[in-house]
Amino acid sequence: MGKDITLDIAAEQQEMKITGVTGSQAQKTRMLQMGFTPGTRVRIVRRAPMADPLEIKVRGTRMLLRRDECQKIRVASAE
Amino acid sequence: MKENTTRPISVAIIGNPNVGKSVLFNSITGASQIIGNWCGKTTEVCTMAVHYRNREFHFTDLPGIYGFGSHSSEEILVNDFLREEAPDVVMVVLDAMNLERGLYLLLETLERYHHVMVILNKVDAALEQDVIVFHDRLEMELQVPVTPEVSQGQLNTEELFSTVIEVADPVAPRRSYAIRYGEKIERALTALKGTVNDDAAGSARWTLLKQLEAKSDAMQSEIIGTRYNVAEDIAARITTKRSTGETLSDRIDRWALHPVWGGPILMIVFGLMFYLTFAVSRPVSEWIVEAFDIAGELIGKWLVSWNMPVLLADLFVDGIMKGVGAAMGFLPQMAMFFLFYTLIQDSGYMVRVVFLADKIMSAMGMSGKTFLPLVLGCSCNVNGILASRILSSRYDRTVAILVSSYAPCPARLGVMVFLVSAFFVSTSATLVMLALLGISLALMVLVAYIVSLFIPRSGESSFMMELPPYQKPTVQSLTISATRMTLNFVHRIRNVIIAASVVMWCLSKFPVGPFEQTYIARIGQILEPVGSLMGLNWQLIVALLFGIAAKESVLSSLGIIYHAAQDSGNLAEILIHNISPLTAFTFLLVYMIYTPCVTTLVTMYQETKDWRIVLYGVLGSVISAVVLGSLSFHIGRILF
């Protein structure tokens, strides 16, 4: 497994694996409950005009997250 | 209705946001709530009592949640409700299109409560994407009754109610459900065993799990992660393999969310919406206003022939019928707009709008979701304020409500276009219009900034939301929603409109005599010193006073004040003779800002239940109108 990065800087369409979520207790709980649990595969589908927010594919569904929210999700390459 | 001695059965309906609970709630109770594709839309808890087969049922629609945390306002609300009301049945609504997330919530509910039943929603929509959900397998897997939807938003009510009765039965065998967590968690649970009991708040095991989650980040991550893995496994077992190919939604979004084309497409969609709204509704509007005029005159004659005093008949015809007619004239375009609004929301396009507009909106201190109230505010400020409900945080909602009241509504635009084209020609007219609109946009940003000084911006607000696939809205739900929104609007404004019409009529008719001596003229004359700061005479101030009742009435009152009708010349010519272009510009600027109309103010109050917001809204707009008006007048005098 490669080095950890935050999700916001991952390449579009690249399969990543979540290694952890950070942030306030409320943010963390919310992200975990939405399915951003460690080990889950995620991928950036596209970025909005001006690169914020981002569309994320996770658990078979599409989610919209602001860049600062993506910065709370740590990922590593899934390959 | 027969009296029945048995206690009513209470049912709490929970589910993820956008799971289609409102539709379901409608079909169960025969009640009507607006359906939508929006997160956090159900801001208030609604309970509906129904009779079925001689028993009473209380269904409570709770806000959408993802789990039983205690961090978001929705979760706190749901937890409080469940703890305090201890419902007989907890009904979990699952979306067949988004099973994993729904199953996660279901698993936690099963760990917490015994009396659980499941509604499986959007089965048809899933089938369209070649996903078959076997509800009987889910039933077996989790030992919980599952009622699938039979067609879009329709349930087998017989089956539903008998299941509710079965699950609510206190002597029925209690099945408990437990997920097997990792060694460390299970050991911690065993160590804590006996310290808490099963109660109305939930099972002992669930309460202990919550305690562990609060104690350690690693444990929280493991508990939620394990539960999600179980949800994932179950989802895989009860559905046929999801096709990985590109769906129609994905293909549409390749264009609709395109980094370059997404923006222009959005503008075309909204432009088309405005165009159709006004193109279709204008003739109908004119017809309605005319009908009210004719009816008013006929009734007036009739009243006089019945020996009613002329003055009273005049109050009825000139005051009430004119005022109500003018307000009713706005109904067609509101109905049209509500229709498009429902269409855009129910189809799922609104979430895409948020995606595209969020960055620009947050640069202005607003959430991406505020784009919607802002755009709708341009159809009528009331619509914008009503649409502000979609915002969950107090900051975002307050900003949206206040900002919506600055949006250039058709009433304002109508007056602006009339006066601008009377005083300015081609290029300069366009520039004046753009300057006026630019100033109102700048004011909105200022409003957002000022609100941020009083209400902290961040807090519980979180942007993260689901992007659901597009849905085909049904004609039935579209027309029902649009009709209901329109009728609601009529209902909430009818008294205000009549009252405002009567007050304005009285002020402008008494004391009987020349217009200059009437009360409203005198108020205008008293306010003239303020007006002189901006170079506005008392006549223009009186016109503005009329505008508080309804923005568009500024034109007709200018007509009365300058005797346009008697002189039989047209209003534009008379105005050009009486006021300078600079005064006209200043007047328009002040007119655009000075205060929202009465209907908007009433709606503001009804949506916030806080007079201070209304007061700040009025004060803020009046002050900025006077300041900007003075600046415009004095700078203009130096320049021209």
Side-chain angles (χ1 to χ4, degrees):
Chain A
M1 199 149 68
K3 254 177 66 179
D4 271 18
I5 53 167
T6 54
L7 180 58
D8 61 305
I9 55 170
E12 273 173 38
Q13 304 303 346
Q14 199 187 343
E15 281 294 328
M16 306 298 277
K17 208 172 206 165
I18 296 174
T19 55
V21 289
T22 58
S24 71
Q25 194 61 45
Q27 277 176 318
K28 246 183 330 201
T29 308
R30 191 167 160 81
M31 295 223 204
L32 289 170
Q33 282 183 354
M34 297 282 258
F36 292 93
T37 54
T40 310
R41 284 164 172 268
V42 284
R43 145 172 85 86
I44 297 177
V45 180
R46 59 169 67 84
R47 293 178 161 89
M50 292 176 281
D52 190 15
L54 292 84
E55 182 188 330
I56 310 290
K57 186 106 182 171
V58 63
R59 296 189 177 275
T61 61
R62 298 155 71 192
M63 304 277 304
L64 301 182
L65 278 80
R66 283 216 182 115
R67 197 156 52 189
D68 57 0
E69 288 168 321
C70 288
Q71 280 163 356
K72 303 284 179 346
I73 300 172
R74 301 206 63 84
V75 292
S77 172
E79 274 92 53
Chain B
M1 217 184 300
K2 251 190 227 164
E3 190 63 41
N4 81 68
T5 45
T6 42
R7 207 170 60 81
I9 296 177
S10 58
V11 183
I13 308 175
I14 64 169
N16 296 156
N18 303 316
V19 82
K21 271 193 303 152
S22 307
V23 187
L24 212 60
F25 197 59
N26 291 351
S27 97
I28 294 170
T29 58
S32 295
Q33 264 197 316
I34 297 159
I35 62 161
N37 258 332
W38 211 280
C39 310
K41 187 177 165 191
T42 321
T43 43
E44 291 139 359
V45 174
C46 314
T47 300
M48 195 68 70
V50 294
H51 268 272
Y52 191 83
R53 298 272 152 104
N54 228 6
R55 285 204 71 162
E56 192 176 332
F57 298 84
H58 290 179
F59 289 99
T60 305
D61 190 14
L62 292 168
I65 49 168
Y66 291 102
F68 296 112
S70 48
H71 294 292
S72 76
S73 52
E74 289 87 1
E75 288 173 347
I76 292 169
L77 205 151
V78 171
N79 274 328
D80 287 350
F81 179 86
L82 292 175
R83 198 173 305 121
E84 282 156 26
E85 304 293 320
D88 301 311
V89 177
V90 179
M91 186 184 276
V92 180
V93 184
L94 290 187
D95 174 355
M97 306 269 284
N98 192 357
L99 265 183
E100 268 180 49
R101 216 164 266 135
L103 283 171
Y104 173 85
L105 179 65
L106 173 61
L107 288 172
E108 190 170 358
T109 313
L110 287 170
E111 283 180 295
R112 187 175 178 179
Y113 293 108
H114 299 293
H115 40 275
V116 179
M117 64 179 286
V118 175
I119 302 290
L120 186 60
N121 209 355
K122 300 193 192 171
V123 180
D124 281 356
L127 204 58
E128 268 171 37
Q129 297 194 4
D130 299 325
V131 180
I132 305 169
V133 183
F134 299 98
H135 64 92
D136 43 342
R137 285 196 204 164
L138 178 63
E139 215 158 53
M140 296 228 292
E141 234 7 281
L142 295 174
Q143 294 295 306
V144 61
V146 179
T147 309
E149 145 202 86
V150 282
S151 69
Q152 218 179 17
Q154 289 295 315
L155 291 160
N156 181 339
T157 33
E158 182 64 47
E159 184 189 335
L160 178 97
F161 281 98
S162 61
T163 311
V164 170
I165 294 171
E166 224 170 86
V167 175
D169 188 354
V171 294
R174 302 255 126 169
R175 312 180 190 93
S176 58
Y177 181 84
I179 289 173
R180 176 104 195 126
Y181 293 97
E183 193 67 28
K184 212 175 121 201
I185 306 266
E186 289 296 340
R187 240 187 316 192
L189 285 174
T190 317
L192 289 166
K193 206 166 185 171
T195 56
V196 288
N197 294 315
D198 292 2
D199 58 20
S203 72
R205 187 179 164 89
W206 177 81
T207 312
L208 291 177
L209 281 168
K210 279 287 152 203
Q211 285 179 9
L212 293 181
E213 276 185 32
K215 220 186 291 176
S216 136
D217 280 0
M219 284 200 189
Q220 184 190 34
S221 186
E222 197 190 323
I223 291 169
I224 297 179
T226 310
R227 204 181 278 141
Y228 250 112
N229 291 342
V230 175
E232 198 178 329
D233 289 346
I234 296 174
R237 283 202 295 272
I238 65 167
T239 53
T240 53
K241 191 108 182 116
R242 193 188 287 266
S243 64
T244 45
E246 208 180 34
T247 63
L248 180 62
S249 255
D250 294 334
R251 280 203 297 276
I252 296 173
D253 278 338
R254 256 201 290 172
W255 290 99
L257 299 182
H258 192 275
V260 178
W261 301 115
I265 289 173
L266 178 146
M267 283 183 223
I268 291 171
V269 168
F270 277 101
L272 207 64
M273 177 165 93
F274 274 107
Y275 175 76
L276 285 176
T277 300
F278 298 127
V280 174
S281 62
R282 180 157 299 149
V284 186
S285 288
E286 282 166 6
W287 183 80
I288 289 179
V289 175
E290 211 164 294
F292 265 87
D293 279 354
I294 294 171
E297 257 164 56
L298 283 179
I299 296 171
K301 276 186 196 146
W302 189 60
L303 287 177
V304 174
S305 74
W306 272 62
N307 291 331
M308 189 182 256
V310 178
L311 198 64
L312 265 183
D314 190 48
L315 165 67
F316 189 77
V317 176
D318 247 18
I320 297 174
M321 284 301 270
K322 270 244 160 64
V324 174
M328 291 299 128
F330 276 91
L331 279 191
Q333 67 199 38
M334 292 195 76
M336 279 303 282
F337 216 90
F338 285 140
L339 189 71
F340 286 120
Y341 167 63
T342 316
L343 181 69
I344 283 187
Q345 207 186 34
D346 287 2
S347 64
Y349 187 63
M350 209 42 98
V351 191
R352 274 83 183 167
V353 172
V354 173
F355 179 73
L356 294 168
D358 184 64
K359 189 68 184 174
I360 295 173
M361 296 303 289
S362 50
M364 297 196 292
M366 301 173 220
S367 151
K369 290 185 196 172
T370 315
F371 189 81
L372 169 63
L374 206 59
V375 169
L376 288 177
C378 296
S379 73
C380 173
N381 293 175
V382 173
N383 294 351
I385 291 168
L386 293 179
S388 305
R389 283 185 193 178
I390 57 165
L391 293 148
S392 46
S393 91
R394 205 162 86 88
Y395 168 82
D396 287 334
R397 244 191 112 188
T398 313
V399 168
I401 287 174
L402 288 174
V403 158
S404 304
S405 66
Y406 284 91
C409 62
R412 282 193 183 104
L413 282 175
V415 174
M416 284 158 70
V417 167
F418 178 84
L419 289 179
V420 167
S421 54
F423 280 91
F424 306 93
V425 283
S426 57
T427 322
S428 61
T430 313
L431 286 178
V432 166
M433 273 311 275
L434 286 178
L436 288 170
L437 294 176
I439 290 170
S440 69
L441 191 65
L443 272 175
M444 293 177 190
V445 179
L446 184 70
V447 167
Y449 173 73
I450 292 173
V451 173
S452 75
L453 299 179
F454 295 95
I455 302 173
R457 208 186 146 181
S458 51
E460 85 259 48
S461 132
S462 143
F463 176 80
M464 185 167 27
M465 64 182 87
E466 290 181 65
L467 181 66
Y470 289 103
Q471 270 182 18
K472 232 188 300 168
T474 61
V475 177
Q476 193 195 8
S477 81
L478 282 184
T479 44
I480 289 176
S481 296
T483 314
R484 188 179 315 108
M485 285 164 121
T486 313
L487 291 178
N488 262 342
F489 176 74
V490 176
H491 180 74
R492 59 166 71 218
I493 66 159
R494 55 179 185 190
N495 295 331
V496 181
I497 290 291
I498 293 175
S501 310
V502 171
V503 169
M504 292 316 273
W505 181 84
C506 289
L507 288 176
S508 58
K509 286 285 168 176
F510 295 110
V512 183
F515 184 76
E516 288 72 21
Q517 319 243 300
T518 55
Y519 291 118
I520 192 134
R522 287 186 205 174
I523 297 174
Q525 286 149 11
I526 292 167
L527 289 174
E528 197 156 34
V530 184
S532 67
L533 286 176
M534 306 170 274
L536 303 181
N537 57 26
W538 70 265
Q539 289 93 333
L540 293 176
I541 292 176
V542 170
L544 290 175
L545 289 176
F546 275 105
I548 299 175
K551 287 277 175 179
E552 68 280 7
S553 61
V554 163
L555 277 188
S556 57
S557 54
L558 278 174
I560 297 170
I561 297 164
Y562 285 109
H563 309 298
Q566 284 91 322
D567 285 350
S568 75
N570 76 46
L571 180 58
E573 277 170 34
I574 293 168
L575 286 176
I576 292 171
H577 285 299
N578 281 287
I579 52 181
S580 69
L582 175 60
T583 310
F585 177 82
T586 311
F587 175 75
L588 277 172
L589 184 61
V590 172
Y591 166 71
M592 191 179 66
I593 307 165
Y594 75 119
T595 176
C597 67
V598 173
T599 316
T600 305
L601 292 175
V602 170
T603 314
M604 244 187 208
Y605 173 72
Q606 283 171 338
E607 289 298 295
T608 56
K609 297 281 172 230
D610 188 350
W611 277 115
R612 285 174 309 168
I613 301 275
V614 182
L615 192 68
Y616 295 149
V618 174
L619 276 182
S621 55
V622 170
I623 291 170
S624 34
V626 173
V627 170
L628 287 174
S630 311
L631 281 176
S632 147
F633 178 61
H634 291 288
I635 294 174
R637 253 208 324 204
I638 296 165
L639 291 180
F640 304 106

